[in-house]
Amino acid sequence: PIYEGTNSVQAIDLVFRKILNNKIFEKFLLQITEEVKNYSKDKNISLQVQKFQKYLELLNNFTLWLAEKNKSSKNDVSAACNDYLKVFGYISIAHSWLKILKVSYEKYDQNKSFFEDKINTATYYFDKILPRAQSHYLSAITGSKSMMKANFN
């Protein structure tokens, strides 16, 4: 399908051109880490910040794995691109939810019903959606051997 193919092209572009060649991940990591450091002082969102930091570390480990694997097995890196795109996406959305949580708690008294819904949705994301990043990481680091041995005739 076109949709899946488009994701694959975007994933390959992200990993090979932007992450491995242009080294943008370090800038992203620095920017996001500085911002989240300020959020960790807010007791209302400290649990979500802890979860975010755990998954940001997973993304960092995934990125380091890609860089190391790129030296010896481009097939392993290629096989991991879609999973990396998904993990990067989950982390990026979690970052957005942290921003929303911060504002929601700051302005809670102005519109309790509205901000309660935001807080609940963010909590759901951190509890139910974000953990999916780990399964993508674990799948990706198994490499490409079984994929490359597949017979599609």
Side-chain angles (χ1 to χ4, degrees):
I2 291 173
Y3 175 76
E4 191 60 38
T6 302
N7 280 352
S8 295
V9 170
Q10 294 302 316
I12 291 166
D13 181 60
L14 172 66
V15 170
F16 283 102
R17 186 170 65 88
K18 296 175 182 166
I19 300 297
L20 298 176
N21 289 336
N22 292 344
K23 311 285 188 205
I24 64 157
F25 183 73
E26 291 80 10
K27 293 175 190 170
F28 172 77
L29 186 63
L30 182 64
Q31 178 182 344
I32 225 168
T33 303
E34 285 301 312
E35 187 176 326
V36 171
K37 203 182 293 183
N38 294 327
Y39 294 165
S40 63
K41 299 169 188 168
D42 187 337
K43 66 179 172 68
N44 290 316
I45 61 173
S46 61
L47 178 61
Q48 287 86 358
V49 169
Q50 288 174 8
K51 288 181 180 184
F52 179 80
Q53 289 170 329
K54 172 187 166 190
Y55 287 103
L56 187 59
E57 183 179 340
L58 181 139
L59 180 61
N60 188 46
N61 290 339
F62 199 167
T63 305
L64 294 172
W65 181 88
L66 289 171
E68 191 59 35
K69 276 294 177 180
N70 195 41
K71 298 173 187 173
S72 61
S73 177
K74 297 243 189 285
N75 285 342
D76 285 353
V77 176
S78 294
C81 286
N82 265 326
D83 287 309
Y84 187 81
L85 177 68
K86 288 175 176 65
V87 172
F88 205 100
Y90 285 134
I91 302 302
S92 298
I93 292 170
H95 178 242
S96 295
W97 276 116
L98 282 178
K99 291 180 176 191
I100 292 166
L101 277 170
K102 185 168 176 25
V103 171
S104 294
Y105 279 108
E106 288 171 356
K107 297 186 175 190
Y108 183 79
D109 289 333
Q110 295 175 18
N111 191 340
K112 289 181 182 181
S113 176
F114 177 78
F115 289 115
E116 238 171 51
D117 285 344
K118 297 295 178 196
I119 292 165
N120 186 53
T121 304
T123 302
Y124 179 86
Y125 184 84
F126 277 91
D127 289 348
K128 302 293 185 185
I129 307 295
L130 184 57
R132 296 174 187 178
Q134 186 169 6
S135 64
H136 286 289
Y137 171 69
L138 293 173
S139 173
I141 63 173
T142 63
S144 62
K145 189 179 267 186
S146 61
M147 185 184 295
M148 297 308 286
K149 284 186 174 184
N151 184 356
F152 295 105
N153 291 333

